[in-house]
Amino acid sequence: MKIAVFGTGYVGLVTALGFAKFGHSVYGIDRDEEKIKALNSGKVPFFEPGLDELLLEVQGKGLVKFSTDGKEAVEDSEVIFICVGTPPLEDGRADLSQVEDVARFIAENMKEYKVIVEKSTVPVKTSYWIKRIMNLYREKDVGFDVVSNPEFLREGSALEDFLYPERIVVGVESRKAREKMEELYRDFDAPILYTDVETAEIIKHASNSFLAMKISFINMVADLCEKVGADVEMVAKGMGLDSRIGQKFLKAGVGFGGSCFPKDLRAFYRIAEDEGVDFSLLKEVEKINELRPVKFVEKMKNVLWNLKGKRIGILGLSFKPNTDDVREAPSLKIIKLLKKEGAEIFAYDPVASENARKVMPELNCLSSPYEIAEGANAIALITEWDEFRGLDWKKIKDNMETPLIFDGRNFLEGRKLASLGFEYYPVGRKPFGRMNG
Ligand code: NAD
C-alpha cells in the first residue's frame, strides 16, 4: 500500500519505517528541514534502538521517501497518518494546531478518496474537528474517512512495540476505511480491536491515565512504607501477584515523566471537565507525581543536613532508560530543586546529556559516572540505565568525599553497596549502611 506519515518524530518515524518493513511504500513528511535532511542522509535524528539499521534497510529497498513537501505524498497515498505533536497548552488542554495544519493541508491537496488516520494522541472528539476542517477546505466531491488508531509504543522499545504490539486499536466508521486498515495491518500478529472513533480516542487517554494512576498509587504506598519501616518492593510484589492487579507499573520512585503521561493525564481530565465530568481522581494522580521530586530532595536534605555547597552527582537524565528524551524528566526537576538549595551538580547520562543541556545550558554534564563521583558528597540515581548496575562501585566510593547514594528507582543492590561502605537510601524501603541514627 502507499502510505503517507505526517510528522517524523518518535511516533511518525517508527510508523513510517515499521510499515516500510512490512513492504509498504511510505512517504515521511516533516516541516522540520533539519530532520528531513538527516533522514535523507540515512541518519535518525534522535536515539531509539534499532531505528538506524531499519532506516538504512528500507532506504536501500527504496520503500521510504522523506520530504518537507507533502503534496506528492497526499496525492499518491491511500492512507495518511497524522503523527504530529499534540503538546499541552498552559491549562493542560491539548494544543491541536499541528493536527489542524495537517488536516487542512490534506484537504487542500487531495484529489481522490483518502483514509486519514489520527495516530497522534488526541482528546475525544478530535475526529469531529478533523472532519470539519476537511469539509471546509476540500473540493466538494472528494471523499474521505477519519480513523483513530492510537499508538501505544514506548520510547526505548518503540520499534519492538510497533512491530509486535499487544493490541491494535482502530476506531472506524465506514466499511471502506475498515477494509483499508485491515489490509494495512494484515501481517501484524496482534489482536485488533475495532471500535467507533470516539471509543478509540478514549482508549488511549484512559490507558495512559490508568498507568499513571498505578505509579502514583504505589508512590503513596512507598511514602507510608518509609514511615513505618515496610518495604514497598515487597508490597508491590505481594499486590502484583494478584492477576487482577499485575506486577507492571507498580514501581515506586521519583515519579513519571516523558512527553506522554503528564500531558495525556492532564488532557484527559480537561476534556472530561469540558464535557461536564469531574475526573478529579486524575488531578490527585498528577499532584502526587509533581511532589515526587520535592520529596526526594527533602530526603536528601534530611540526610545531608545542608545542601548548600554540597557536590551532588546525578546518574541519569533521560525520563527513562534507553532514550535521549528529557521532556518532563524528573532529573531536571530534581536538579533545579537541588540548585535552589545551593548544591553543585555534576551529571552523567549515556545519551541524553546533549538534550538536557538544550533546556538547561549551564548543566555540568561529564563523560563518565566515575567523573561525577569525584569529590561528591552524594550520588542520586534518577534513571535506571542498565549500565549503572555494572559500575565499579568500589572505585566510585573511593572517588567520593562522602559515600551516600540516593536511589530514586530502587535499582541498585543496597546490601551490596552497604558492604562496600556506602550509605544507601532507596524509595519506600529501609536504608542500608546508615552510620548512625
Ligand atoms: P515529536 O515531537 O517527536 O514529533 C512530532 C513531529 O511532527 C515533529 O518532527 C514536527 O516537526 C512534526 N510536525 C509538526 N507539525 C507538522 C506539520 N504541519 N507537518 C509535518 N510535520 C509536522 O512527537 P512524538 O513523540 O512523535 O509524538 C507525536 C504524537 O504521538 C503525540 O500526540 C504524542 O502524544 C503521541 N505519542 C507519543 C508517544 C511517544 O512515546 N513519544 C507514544 C504514543 C503516542
Side-chain angles (χ1 to χ4, degrees), residues 179-200:
E179 278 168 8
K180 289 267 180 230
M181 296 306 285
E182 279 171 352
E183 194 186 333
L184 195 57
Y185 279 115
R186 199 182 44 205
D187 297 326
F188 284 68
D189 183 19
I192 304 188
L193 181 68
Y194 287 98
T195 69
D196 58 69
V197 176
E198 287 74 21
T199 303

PDB file of all heavy atoms in Angstrom, residues 179-200:
ATOM      1  N   GLU A 179     -11.750  -1.713   5.699  1.00  0.00           N
ATOM      2  CA  GLU A 179     -11.051  -2.644   4.808  1.00  0.00           C
ATOM      3  C   GLU A 179      -9.603  -2.196   4.561  1.00  0.00           C
ATOM      4  O   GLU A 179      -8.684  -3.003   4.521  1.00  0.00           O
ATOM      5  CB  GLU A 179     -11.813  -2.775   3.483  1.00  0.00           C
ATOM      6  CG  GLU A 179     -12.962  -3.763   3.618  1.00  0.00           C
ATOM      7  CD  GLU A 179     -13.938  -3.720   2.441  1.00  0.00           C
ATOM      8  OE1 GLU A 179     -13.657  -3.035   1.425  1.00  0.00           O
ATOM      9  OE2 GLU A 179     -14.997  -4.366   2.558  1.00  0.00           O
ATOM     10  N   LYS A 180      -9.418  -0.901   4.396  1.00  0.00           N
ATOM     11  CA  LYS A 180      -8.046  -0.367   4.189  1.00  0.00           C
ATOM     12  C   LYS A 180      -7.181  -0.662   5.429  1.00  0.00           C
ATOM     13  O   LYS A 180      -6.023  -1.061   5.306  1.00  0.00           O
ATOM     14  CB  LYS A 180      -8.082   1.149   3.997  1.00  0.00           C
ATOM     15  CG  LYS A 180      -8.660   1.598   2.689  1.00  0.00           C
ATOM     16  CD  LYS A 180      -7.575   1.777   1.645  1.00  0.00           C
ATOM     17  CE  LYS A 180      -8.162   2.247   0.310  1.00  0.00           C
ATOM     18  NZ  LYS A 180      -7.741   1.482  -0.828  1.00  0.00           N
ATOM     19  N   MET A 181      -7.762  -0.459   6.614  1.00  0.00           N
ATOM     20  CA  MET A 181      -6.988  -0.664   7.841  1.00  0.00           C
ATOM     21  C   MET A 181      -6.692  -2.158   8.032  1.00  0.00           C
ATOM     22  O   MET A 181      -5.613  -2.532   8.487  1.00  0.00           O
ATOM     23  CB  MET A 181      -7.741  -0.105   9.061  1.00  0.00           C
ATOM     24  CG  MET A 181      -7.945   1.402   9.036  1.00  0.00           C
ATOM     25  SD  MET A 181      -6.435   2.367   8.803  1.00  0.00           S
ATOM     26  CE  MET A 181      -5.664   2.241  10.399  1.00  0.00           C
ATOM     27  N   GLU A 182      -7.658  -3.004   7.658  1.00  0.00           N
ATOM     28  CA  GLU A 182      -7.441  -4.459   7.755  1.00  0.00           C
ATOM     29  C   GLU A 182      -6.275  -4.876   6.859  1.00  0.00           C
ATOM     30  O   GLU A 182      -5.416  -5.653   7.245  1.00  0.00           O
ATOM     31  CB  GLU A 182      -8.715  -5.218   7.348  1.00  0.00           C
ATOM     32  CG  GLU A 182      -9.718  -5.282   8.489  1.00  0.00           C
ATOM     33  CD  GLU A 182     -11.082  -5.841   8.051  1.00  0.00           C
ATOM     34  OE1 GLU A 182     -11.302  -6.045   6.841  1.00  0.00           O
ATOM     35  OE2 GLU A 182     -11.926  -6.037   8.934  1.00  0.00           O
ATOM     36  N   GLU A 183      -6.261  -4.302   5.654  1.00  0.00           N
ATOM     37  CA  GLU A 183      -5.202  -4.640   4.704  1.00  0.00           C
ATOM     38  C   GLU A 183      -3.842  -4.173   5.248  1.00  0.00           C
ATOM     39  O   GLU A 183      -2.849  -4.895   5.193  1.00  0.00           O
ATOM     40  CB  GLU A 183      -5.516  -3.944   3.374  1.00  0.00           C
ATOM     41  CG  GLU A 183      -4.691  -4.455   2.208  1.00  0.00           C
ATOM     42  CD  GLU A 183      -4.943  -3.626   0.953  1.00  0.00           C
ATOM     43  OE1 GLU A 183      -6.042  -3.043   0.820  1.00  0.00           O
ATOM     44  OE2 GLU A 183      -4.012  -3.564   0.128  1.00  0.00           O
ATOM     45  N   LEU A 184      -3.845  -2.987   5.800  1.00  0.00           N
ATOM     46  CA  LEU A 184      -2.609  -2.399   6.313  1.00  0.00           C
ATOM     47  C   LEU A 184      -2.016  -3.227   7.446  1.00  0.00           C
ATOM     48  O   LEU A 184      -0.803  -3.418   7.539  1.00  0.00           O
ATOM     49  CB  LEU A 184      -2.937  -0.988   6.822  1.00  0.00           C
ATOM     50  CG  LEU A 184      -1.803  -0.038   7.091  1.00  0.00           C
ATOM     51  CD1 LEU A 184      -0.953   0.151   5.839  1.00  0.00           C
ATOM     52  CD2 LEU A 184      -2.368   1.315   7.538  1.00  0.00           C
ATOM     53  N   TYR A 185      -2.871  -3.733   8.309  1.00  0.00           N
ATOM     54  CA  TYR A 185      -2.381  -4.459   9.488  1.00  0.00           C
ATOM     55  C   TYR A 185      -2.422  -5.993   9.299  1.00  0.00           C
ATOM     56  O   TYR A 185      -2.247  -6.730  10.257  1.00  0.00           O
ATOM     57  CB  TYR A 185      -3.204  -4.056  10.724  1.00  0.00           C
ATOM     58  CG  TYR A 185      -2.743  -2.734  11.319  1.00  0.00           C
ATOM     59  CD1 TYR A 185      -3.574  -1.617  11.326  1.00  0.00           C
ATOM     60  CD2 TYR A 185      -1.472  -2.598  11.862  1.00  0.00           C
ATOM     61  CE1 TYR A 185      -3.147  -0.396  11.868  1.00  0.00           C
ATOM     62  CE2 TYR A 185      -1.034  -1.388  12.404  1.00  0.00           C
ATOM     63  CZ  TYR A 185      -1.877  -0.298  12.399  1.00  0.00           C
ATOM     64  OH  TYR A 185      -1.438   0.890  12.936  1.00  0.00           O
ATOM     65  N   ARG A 186      -2.628  -6.419   8.064  1.00  0.00           N
ATOM     66  CA  ARG A 186      -2.794  -7.852   7.772  1.00  0.00           C
ATOM     67  C   ARG A 186      -1.651  -8.712   8.326  1.00  0.00           C
ATOM     68  O   ARG A 186      -1.865  -9.772   8.883  1.00  0.00           O
ATOM     69  CB  ARG A 186      -2.892  -8.028   6.254  1.00  0.00           C
ATOM     70  CG  ARG A 186      -3.497  -9.332   5.796  1.00  0.00           C
ATOM     71  CD  ARG A 186      -3.499  -9.400   4.296  1.00  0.00           C
ATOM     72  NE  ARG A 186      -2.210  -8.941   3.760  1.00  0.00           N
ATOM     73  CZ  ARG A 186      -2.042  -8.439   2.540  1.00  0.00           C
ATOM     74  NH1 ARG A 186      -3.069  -8.326   1.718  1.00  0.00           N
ATOM     75  NH2 ARG A 186      -0.859  -8.059   2.120  1.00  0.00           N
ATOM     76  N   ASP A 187      -0.425  -8.224   8.211  1.00  0.00           N
ATOM     77  CA  ASP A 187       0.718  -9.053   8.595  1.00  0.00           C
ATOM     78  C   ASP A 187       1.122  -8.912  10.059  1.00  0.00           C
ATOM     79  O   ASP A 187       2.115  -9.485  10.489  1.00  0.00           O
ATOM     80  CB  ASP A 187       1.916  -8.718   7.699  1.00  0.00           C
ATOM     81  CG  ASP A 187       1.617  -9.041   6.253  1.00  0.00           C
ATOM     82  OD1 ASP A 187       0.885 -10.031   6.016  1.00  0.00           O
ATOM     83  OD2 ASP A 187       2.069  -8.297   5.362  1.00  0.00           O
ATOM     84  N   PHE A 188       0.386  -8.142  10.820  1.00  0.00           N
ATOM     85  CA  PHE A 188       0.727  -7.968  12.239  1.00  0.00           C
ATOM     86  C   PHE A 188       0.094  -9.095  13.044  1.00  0.00           C
ATOM     87  O   PHE A 188      -1.067  -9.442  12.842  1.00  0.00           O
ATOM     88  CB  PHE A 188       0.201  -6.621  12.769  1.00  0.00           C
ATOM     89  CG  PHE A 188       1.015  -5.440  12.336  1.00  0.00           C
ATOM     90  CD1 PHE A 188       1.035  -5.041  11.004  1.00  0.00           C
ATOM     91  CD2 PHE A 188       1.767  -4.708  13.252  1.00  0.00           C
ATOM     92  CE1 PHE A 188       1.785  -3.937  10.594  1.00  0.00           C
ATOM     93  CE2 PHE A 188       2.509  -3.617  12.857  1.00  0.00           C
ATOM     94  CZ  PHE A 188       2.520  -3.226  11.528  1.00  0.00           C
ATOM     95  N   ASP A 189       0.901  -9.634  13.974  1.00  0.00           N
ATOM     96  CA  ASP A 189       0.399 -10.731  14.791  1.00  0.00           C
ATOM     97  C   ASP A 189      -0.083 -10.167  16.132  1.00  0.00           C
ATOM     98  O   ASP A 189       0.600 -10.274  17.143  1.00  0.00           O
ATOM     99  CB  ASP A 189       1.538 -11.742  14.998  1.00  0.00           C
ATOM    100  CG  ASP A 189       1.070 -12.950  15.790  1.00  0.00           C
ATOM    101  OD1 ASP A 189      -0.153 -13.178  15.867  1.00  0.00           O
ATOM    102  OD2 ASP A 189       1.942 -13.644  16.352  1.00  0.00           O
ATOM    103  N   ALA A 190      -1.265  -9.541  16.103  1.00  0.00           N
ATOM    104  CA  ALA A 190      -1.778  -8.924  17.342  1.00  0.00           C
ATOM    105  C   ALA A 190      -3.301  -8.830  17.241  1.00  0.00           C
ATOM    106  O   ALA A 190      -3.841  -8.698  16.139  1.00  0.00           O
ATOM    107  CB  ALA A 190      -1.202  -7.526  17.501  1.00  0.00           C
ATOM    108  N   PRO A 191      -3.981  -8.901  18.380  1.00  0.00           N
ATOM    109  CA  PRO A 191      -5.430  -8.713  18.319  1.00  0.00           C
ATOM    110  C   PRO A 191      -5.772  -7.285  17.883  1.00  0.00           C
ATOM    111  O   PRO A 191      -5.121  -6.341  18.328  1.00  0.00           O
ATOM    112  CB  PRO A 191      -5.880  -8.962  19.768  1.00  0.00           C
ATOM    113  CG  PRO A 191      -4.659  -8.877  20.600  1.00  0.00           C
ATOM    114  CD  PRO A 191      -3.477  -9.130  19.724  1.00  0.00           C
ATOM    115  N   ILE A 192      -6.738  -7.168  16.992  1.00  0.00           N
ATOM    116  CA  ILE A 192      -7.154  -5.830  16.557  1.00  0.00           C
ATOM    117  C   ILE A 192      -8.563  -5.576  17.091  1.00  0.00           C
ATOM    118  O   ILE A 192      -9.480  -6.368  16.873  1.00  0.00           O
ATOM    119  CB  ILE A 192      -7.165  -5.703  15.021  1.00  0.00           C
ATOM    120  CG1 ILE A 192      -5.786  -6.075  14.457  1.00  0.00           C
ATOM    121  CG2 ILE A 192      -7.549  -4.284  14.613  1.00  0.00           C
ATOM    122  CD1 ILE A 192      -5.618  -5.808  12.967  1.00  0.00           C
ATOM    123  N   LEU A 193      -8.687  -4.483  17.812  1.00  0.00           N
ATOM    124  CA  LEU A 193      -9.987  -4.117  18.370  1.00  0.00           C
ATOM    125  C   LEU A 193     -10.580  -3.004  17.508  1.00  0.00           C
ATOM    126  O   LEU A 193     -10.030  -1.901  17.450  1.00  0.00           O
ATOM    127  CB  LEU A 193      -9.783  -3.630  19.813  1.00  0.00           C
ATOM    128  CG  LEU A 193     -11.041  -3.226  20.571  1.00  0.00           C
ATOM    129  CD1 LEU A 193     -11.916  -4.443  20.861  1.00  0.00           C
ATOM    130  CD2 LEU A 193     -10.668  -2.533  21.890  1.00  0.00           C
ATOM    131  N   TYR A 194     -11.680  -3.325  16.828  1.00  0.00           N
ATOM    132  CA  TYR A 194     -12.364  -2.294  16.036  1.00  0.00           C
ATOM    133  C   TYR A 194     -13.458  -1.664  16.885  1.00  0.00           C
ATOM    134  O   TYR A 194     -14.248  -2.387  17.521  1.00  0.00           O
ATOM    135  CB  TYR A 194     -12.953  -2.901  14.762  1.00  0.00           C
ATOM    136  CG  TYR A 194     -11.888  -3.234  13.744  1.00  0.00           C
ATOM    137  CD1 TYR A 194     -11.394  -4.535  13.618  1.00  0.00           C
ATOM    138  CD2 TYR A 194     -11.346  -2.241  12.932  1.00  0.00           C
ATOM    139  CE1 TYR A 194     -10.387  -4.832  12.708  1.00  0.00           C
ATOM    140  CE2 TYR A 194     -10.344  -2.535  12.020  1.00  0.00           C
ATOM    141  CZ  TYR A 194      -9.874  -3.827  11.910  1.00  0.00           C
ATOM    142  OH  TYR A 194      -8.885  -4.109  11.012  1.00  0.00           O
ATOM    143  N   THR A 195     -13.477  -0.346  16.909  1.00  0.00           N
ATOM    144  CA  THR A 195     -14.481   0.371  17.708  1.00  0.00           C
ATOM    145  C   THR A 195     -14.979   1.562  16.902  1.00  0.00           C
ATOM    146  O   THR A 195     -14.521   1.801  15.790  1.00  0.00           O
ATOM    147  CB  THR A 195     -13.858   0.931  19.009  1.00  0.00           C
ATOM    148  OG1 THR A 195     -12.945   1.981  18.649  1.00  0.00           O
ATOM    149  CG2 THR A 195     -13.118  -0.115  19.816  1.00  0.00           C
ATOM    150  N   ASP A 196     -15.883   2.327  17.514  1.00  0.00           N
ATOM    151  CA  ASP A 196     -16.194   3.612  16.876  1.00  0.00           C
ATOM    152  C   ASP A 196     -15.042   4.578  17.189  1.00  0.00           C
ATOM    153  O   ASP A 196     -14.184   4.284  18.039  1.00  0.00           O
ATOM    154  CB  ASP A 196     -17.553   4.158  17.351  1.00  0.00           C
ATOM    155  CG  ASP A 196     -17.584   4.333  18.848  1.00  0.00           C
ATOM    156  OD1 ASP A 196     -16.878   5.222  19.347  1.00  0.00           O
ATOM    157  OD2 ASP A 196     -18.294   3.558  19.521  1.00  0.00           O
ATOM    158  N   VAL A 197     -15.028   5.710  16.528  1.00  0.00           N
ATOM    159  CA  VAL A 197     -13.867   6.600  16.621  1.00  0.00           C
ATOM    160  C   VAL A 197     -13.704   7.187  18.022  1.00  0.00           C
ATOM    161  O   VAL A 197     -12.590   7.223  18.575  1.00  0.00           O
ATOM    162  CB  VAL A 197     -13.969   7.715  15.554  1.00  0.00           C
ATOM    163  CG1 VAL A 197     -12.822   8.702  15.699  1.00  0.00           C
ATOM    164  CG2 VAL A 197     -13.949   7.113  14.163  1.00  0.00           C
ATOM    165  N   GLU A 198     -14.810   7.626  18.631  1.00  0.00           N
ATOM    166  CA  GLU A 198     -14.704   8.247  19.966  1.00  0.00           C
ATOM    167  C   GLU A 198     -14.164   7.240  20.976  1.00  0.00           C
ATOM    168  O   GLU A 198     -13.373   7.583  21.859  1.00  0.00           O
ATOM    169  CB  GLU A 198     -16.077   8.761  20.451  1.00  0.00           C
ATOM    170  CG  GLU A 198     -16.562  10.018  19.737  1.00  0.00           C
ATOM    171  CD  GLU A 198     -17.053   9.748  18.325  1.00  0.00           C
ATOM    172  OE1 GLU A 198     -17.403   8.579  18.021  1.00  0.00           O
ATOM    173  OE2 GLU A 198     -17.071  10.692  17.507  1.00  0.00           O
ATOM    174  N   THR A 199     -14.590   5.997  20.871  1.00  0.00           N
ATOM    175  CA  THR A 199     -14.117   4.966  21.806  1.00  0.00           C
ATOM    176  C   THR A 199     -12.610   4.776  21.680  1.00  0.00           C
ATOM    177  O   THR A 199     -11.888   4.716  22.684  1.00  0.00           O
ATOM    178  CB  THR A 199     -14.865   3.631  21.542  1.00  0.00           C
ATOM    179  OG1 THR A 199     -16.260   3.881  21.663  1.00  0.00           O
ATOM    180  CG2 THR A 199     -14.447   2.553  22.517  1.00  0.00           C
ATOM    181  N   ALA A 200     -12.136   4.719  20.431  1.00  0.00           N
ATOM    182  CA  ALA A 200     -10.686   4.530  20.224  1.00  0.00           C
ATOM    183  C   ALA A 200      -9.915   5.714  20.801  1.00  0.00           C
ATOM    184  O   ALA A 200      -8.868   5.543  21.430  1.00  0.00           O
ATOM    185  CB  ALA A 200     -10.395   4.375  18.735  1.00  0.00           C
TER     186      ALA A 200
END
